[in-house]
Amino acid sequence: MTALLTINNAHKLSTPRLEMPPRLLLGAGPSNADPRVISAMSRPQVGHLDTYFLKLMGEIQELLRYTFQTDNKLTIPVSGTGSAAMEATLANTVEPNDVVLVAVKGYFGKRLVDMAGRYGADVRQINKPWGEAFSLAELRSALETHRPAILAIVHAETSTGVRQPLEGIGDLCREFDCLLLVDTVTSLGCVPLLLDEWKVDLAYSCSQKGLSCPPGASPLTLSDRALEKVHSRKTKVANWYLDLSLVSKYWGKERTYHHTAPINMNYALYEALCLVAEEGLEARWERHQKTAELLWNGLADLGLSCYVAPELRLPSLTTVGLPDGVDEAKIRRQLLDDHNIEISGGLGDLAGKVWRIGLMGQNSRPENVERLLTTLKKLL
């Protein structure tokens, strides 16, 4: 019989309580969670089919519909991080050889290309330089050429800080009889997002950015048009865990067991969505815009320039060009190690070329901007 593995000197081992440094998370995500959200996670756990939890599920769905500005029946938090919600949109709507057109203007457009290809799509892509956005004329031309079943585009490109205008794209997609799939990971809860008005068919997001909730329960919504595509599939969804024909029965009237939902994470998401509703979406959007403008003006005073043109700039995520001769990684390490402030470096094509500063949800506050700018001024 094999002996159990033991820890050397186990009798001398102490088990200290877990402690983490008090970081101010001003990177590309996550953001710091509101104290109310942290407190919600410590509430007593109940079962995933408990009547109290089933009632909470319905309330979460209604709050998500408000935050997404949609009446979509299938609006749920996916049990997983934002990438799981991202994959769920493609896993459920893409069948082998479906033409999927991806409008790529950054790192996460490329991820959509990768994911769609794994489900057997005939993936086509159009490209813009990082830091730019697509025009309606460019998208119309691409739809005429490729005639896709799905057009996928990132609303808030986390790698570049670009906000893609969405007005009119939904009408184009209906004209060409295709679904509009939108990545709202860095826009939900931060910038105007009107899914029904803009005729978006599929959207996904995450909990840890604009909603200021730890990662693990990720918003997803499908329109009736998208559900028709799901229900008319000729093949099974290749991903059992994310198969919405099964998951929707747990989140629908049936409340049929599918998997054990992350119960305490849903407590946290509920509290985060309550904070959104209490503040009001328009007030929240305005707060993010004003705080971002404070950052942009302060960066200019330090001689630093923003990478993206003002009309396309995300208030939730700012890319900053680096001064000549500055070791960007060294500055980030000093911010983190000496001042407990996290900002992010560049990603993909912008690696080593920019900093990424996030002002999302709970962290979009003037005092956080002032703290960062004061510290950057010392370090530079």
Side-chain angles (χ1 to χ4, degrees), residues 7 54 84 98 106 154 188 208 217 253 284 296 301 370:
I7 299 173
L54 297 180
D98 278 352
V154 178
L188 184 67
Q208 73 271 17
K253 291 180 179 178
R284 193 176 183 89
W296 300 338
D301 291 341
E370 291 164 7

Side-chain angles (χ1 to χ4, degrees), residues 33-176:
D34 188 280
R36 276 175 53 180
V37 174
I38 297 296
S39 176
M41 293 180 70
S42 66
R43 300 290 172 85
Q45 186 173 323
V46 297
H48 59 285
L49 293 173
D50 188 289
T51 53
Y52 279 88
F53 189 67
L54 297 180
K55 180 176 182 291
L56 183 69
M57 289 168 67
E59 292 171 352
I60 288 172
Q61 289 178 281
E62 195 58 34
L63 286 164
L64 279 176
R65 291 186 186 102
Y66 167 72
T67 307
F68 269 132
Q69 286 294 284
T70 184
D71 290 326
N72 289 345
K73 181 180 179 182
L74 185 52
T75 302
I76 64 172
V78 172
S79 298
T81 62
S83 295
M86 182 183 199
E87 185 145 11
T89 61
L90 294 162
N92 283 273
T93 54
V94 173
E95 290 197 88
N97 301 315
D98 278 352
V99 175
V100 176
L101 176 63
V102 184
V104 179
K105 52 183 170 52
Y107 183 90
F108 291 95
K110 290 184 176 181
R111 181 174 290 184
L112 282 164
V113 169
D114 187 2
M115 282 190 181
R118 290 168 186 250
Y119 288 100
D122 176 2
V123 183
R124 320 279 178 87
Q125 57 181 299
I126 53 174
N127 297 276
K128 290 286 283 187
W130 288 35
E132 298 182 15
F134 289 92
S135 68
L136 281 177
E138 289 169 328
L139 293 171
R140 172 179 285 280
S141 176
L143 290 172
E144 287 175 341
T145 300
H146 299 287
R147 302 284 170 167
I150 299 170
L151 169 65
I153 194 164
V154 178
H155 183 214
E157 179 52 73
T158 315
S159 61
T160 64
V162 166
R163 171 167 45 177
Q164 168 67 50
L166 293 179
E167 295 88 337
I169 300 178
D171 289 320
L172 271 180
C173 286
R174 278 162 171 71
E175 182 180 339
F176 288 91

